Amino acid sequence: MTHFMKLFPAPFQKITEGRKTIELRLCDEKRQKIAEGDTIIFSQIGNTDIAVASVKKLHRFSDFAELYEALPLEKCGYESTEVEAANHSDMEQFYSKEDIAKYGALGIELEGVYSICGVKDKLFRDDILPLLAPSVYNPTRDRLQAR
């Protein structure tokens, strides 16, 4: 199964560089559908870059406090200089305390990551658009930007 998730630029870069191999998420209904071996397509917020990864392992916890105690935080996106100050409450900028208590936390261990950067920008070039014209939807710059 393939899943889609959005990432801010800094964690996106860390994943594509192999410095972050565990993505932290709320274990809500959407994430409960993820299984080992599935594919995740991450899109970077603010541009057209994407990264594709396979789910190696899932780490489920009752909350982020438990997750922060069990998993190596360097693999979760923290720099070694930040680990000592890292706190599970950091995740409250993304999820409410009520949702964390209701759903718990999930560490998604990734492998086989590759990224595709600037694809839409390349497709918008005037010398490329005519090459796509034989396609079913007859692409235009406006149609590509809307996708």
Side-chain angles (χ1 to χ4, degrees):
M1 183 174 221
T2 301
H3 309 273
F4 298 89
M5 297 183 194
K6 294 181 181 180
L7 287 172
F8 288 106
F12 181 90
Q13 184 175 1
K14 288 179 181 181
I15 285 176
T16 60
E17 292 174 351
R19 296 185 294 132
K20 179 179 182 185
T21 58
I22 301 175
E23 172 62 11
L24 307 182
R25 295 288 171 134
L26 186 70
C27 193
D28 58 8
E29 291 96 350
K30 181 178 177 181
R31 261 53 89 170
Q32 290 171 18
K33 296 176 184 176
I34 299 172
E36 292 178 11
D38 283 359
T39 299
I40 299 177
I41 299 175
F42 294 102
S43 60
Q44 182 177 335
I45 295 171
N47 67 33
T48 59
D49 296 351
I50 63 168
V52 180
S54 294
V55 177
K56 179 179 180 178
K57 188 171 182 181
L58 297 170
H59 306 273
R60 298 180 196 277
F61 300 95
S62 60
D63 57 27
F64 286 105
E66 189 179 310
L67 181 152
Y68 270 55
E69 286 294 319
L71 295 180
L73 296 180
E74 292 92 343
K75 291 185 176 187
C76 299
Y78 286 95
E79 301 294 335
S80 58
T81 56
E82 301 171 323
V83 170
E84 193 171 316
N87 191 292
H88 64 89
S89 63
D90 295 346
M91 298 307 292
E92 291 173 12
Q93 64 183 306
F94 305 108
Y95 308 113
S96 70
K97 289 180 183 180
E98 294 78 20
D99 282 346
I100 294 169
K102 179 178 180 180
Y103 295 111
L106 180 65
I108 307 167
E109 193 166 346
L110 307 169
E111 65 181 358
V113 177
Y114 64 91
S115 61
I116 304 170
C117 300
V119 172
K120 279 190 179 179
D121 296 335
K122 289 176 179 62
L123 290 176
F124 293 151
R125 290 185 8 208
D126 291 331
D127 60 326
I128 299 296
L129 277 173
L131 299 174
L132 300 174
S135 69
V136 175
Y137 66 94
N138 192 19
T140 65
R141 186 177 306 273
D142 292 337
R143 285 185 179 155
L144 287 173
Q145 286 177 327
R147 290 184 160 259

